Amino acid sequence: MNGISKPPEIPPSFPRPAPGGAVPGVQPKLLVRRDGASFVAGPTEQEVRDRYDMCEDLAHQLVAYLVRKRAESPEPSTPQLHDKVTQAFRKKAFGWGLSPAETEWVLDRTAALVLLEAASGKK
């Protein structure tokens, strides 16, 4: 092996925006953009990969935040803390450029990571 690892696969649950749109007029039109020498409808695989990497990183940051807050104080309870962080994250996510589907994916991924961390016995 040459030391370069293959990035993890993007899970099927990760949201991918559907190409689409409408342009008024008599003739049918395709909404595409030029990407190098070709035309692309919707995001490229690299753009989806970049969004996935960003969302995965946010999920890991949220897990670290939840773990830190939980260690600082036993109050509020874990479900209350999770609800509080979820509400705050939803309020901030749009300003960070996340779509509603990406926001929900990050929160679902955070919940899954918290469960994994709890199952592995980490604190």
Side-chain angles (χ1 to χ4, degrees), residues 35-115:
D35 182 38
S38 61
F39 290 96
V40 178
T44 64
E45 278 303 309
Q46 184 58 49
E47 290 167 338
V48 172
R49 159 68 53 199
D50 292 344
R51 300 293 295 180
Y52 168 74
D53 289 342
M54 177 188 69
C55 289
E56 182 72 14
D57 183 57
L58 278 171
H60 283 272
Q61 288 180 46
L62 277 175
V63 169
Y65 180 78
L66 285 166
V67 168
R68 188 179 83 239
K69 285 297 187 183
R70 190 75 195 123
E72 288 175 3
S73 171
E75 294 296 326
S77 69
T78 300
Q80 290 172 328
L81 178 61
H82 184 76
D83 289 346
K84 198 172 171 182
V85 170
T86 296
Q87 289 173 5
F89 184 79
R90 282 192 176 117
K91 288 178 184 175
K92 294 177 183 178
F94 182 75
W96 294 337
L98 293 178
S99 71
E102 288 170 334
T103 300
E104 293 310 309
W105 186 88
V106 169
L107 293 171
D108 290 345
R109 179 68 175 141
T110 300
L113 290 170
V114 166
L115 287 175

